[in-house]
Structures are given as C-alpha cells and as structure tokens.
C-alpha cells in the first residue's frame, strides 16, 4: 500500500483490531538541570520511553510481546499491534508490567542515550 497507518502490520492481512496505546517520553532531571542546565540535557533528549497498551478482557498469560530495537509487537487473541518506535531502543534491557485492574500492559524499552 502507498500509505500505512502507524501500528498496522503490512506483512499479512490482519483482521484483529489495534488496541489503544499511549507513548510517553520521560526525562530524569534535577535542580541542576532546571535552573543551571548543567547536565547538557535539552527538551528533545529522553531517558525513558513508556508505552501503555490497553487490552480489555485480556489476561497477562494471553499476551505475546516482542520488543526489537525499532518496534514493539503486541499480540493477543483479540488484538494486534505493530508499533514502530520513533527512536531506537535497547531491546534486551527493557521491562514490561501487566496492570490487572486497568487491563493495561506497560512496557519500558530502554532508551538509547
């Protein structure tokens, strides 16, 4: 296809809907950064990337999650997400957590600095 929406797989025809997700960049700063700018960080630099994927009516055992340096794939029986990341990550140093009461998967791929 000429135009592919973010999160949509192009490898095969996918009929499962894409779950809702949020991507948030976090930056760890201290007072020396806020007032003196001593660390050399700028608004475009980030220390952490957090991706929250909403998966209603899903159990953690039913989630297949794969994180590569440039992509996050999340598959369940009801949902399919292939999310290309805006910046490369260190795929083997991240973590993920299932939040049962919110039915959300929080992934923390390690951002490259």
């Amino acid at each position: 296809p000429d135009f592919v929406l973010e999160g949509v797989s192009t490898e095969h025809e996918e009929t499962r809907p894409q779950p809702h997700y949020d991507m948030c960049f976090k930056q760890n700063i201290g007072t020396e950064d806020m007032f003196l700018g001593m660390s050399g960080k700028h608004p475009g630099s980030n220390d952490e990337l957090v991706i929250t994927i909403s998966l209603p009516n899903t159990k953690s055992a039913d989630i297949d999650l794969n994180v590569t340096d440039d992509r996050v794939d999340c598959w369940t029986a009801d949902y399919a997400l292939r999310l290309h990341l805006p910046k490369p990550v260190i795929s083997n140093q991240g973590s993920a957590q299932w939040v049962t009461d919110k039915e959300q998967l929080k992934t923390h791929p390690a951002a490259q600095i």
Side-chain angles (χ1 to χ4, degrees):
D2 293 336
F3 178 73
V4 178
L5 294 173
E6 180 182 7
V8 176
S9 171
T10 59
E11 293 181 9
H12 58 84
E13 179 107 13
E14 183 56 64
T15 58
R16 293 174 287 184
Q18 175 180 309
H20 175 78
Y21 66 90
D22 291 311
M23 188 179 313
C24 178
F25 292 98
K26 292 186 174 184
Q27 187 178 61
N28 299 321
I29 59 171
T31 54
E32 68 277 3
D33 299 311
M34 286 292 296
F35 300 109
L36 303 173
M38 294 175 65
S39 72
K41 292 184 180 183
H42 55 84
S45 65
N46 60 354
D47 299 317
E48 187 177 359
L49 170 64
V50 179
I51 303 168
T52 304
I53 306 168
S54 297
L55 299 164
N57 304 315
T58 302
K59 293 181 177 20
S60 62
D62 300 333
I63 300 170
D64 183 14
L65 179 68
N66 184 35
V67 179
T68 64
D69 292 343
D70 64 349
R71 190 176 73 218
V72 172
D73 294 332
C74 181
W75 311 99
T76 70
D78 298 324
Y79 299 100
L81 176 66
R82 170 159 288 158
L83 180 62
H84 293 274
L85 301 174
K87 293 183 177 183
V89 298
I90 304 170
S91 58
N92 61 354
Q93 293 182 7
S95 64
Q97 176 185 8
W98 177 248
V99 183
T100 304
D101 58 332
K102 294 184 178 181
E103 296 182 317
Q104 292 179 333
L105 179 66
K106 288 189 180 263
T107 65
H108 304 267
Q112 289 186 353
I113 297 176

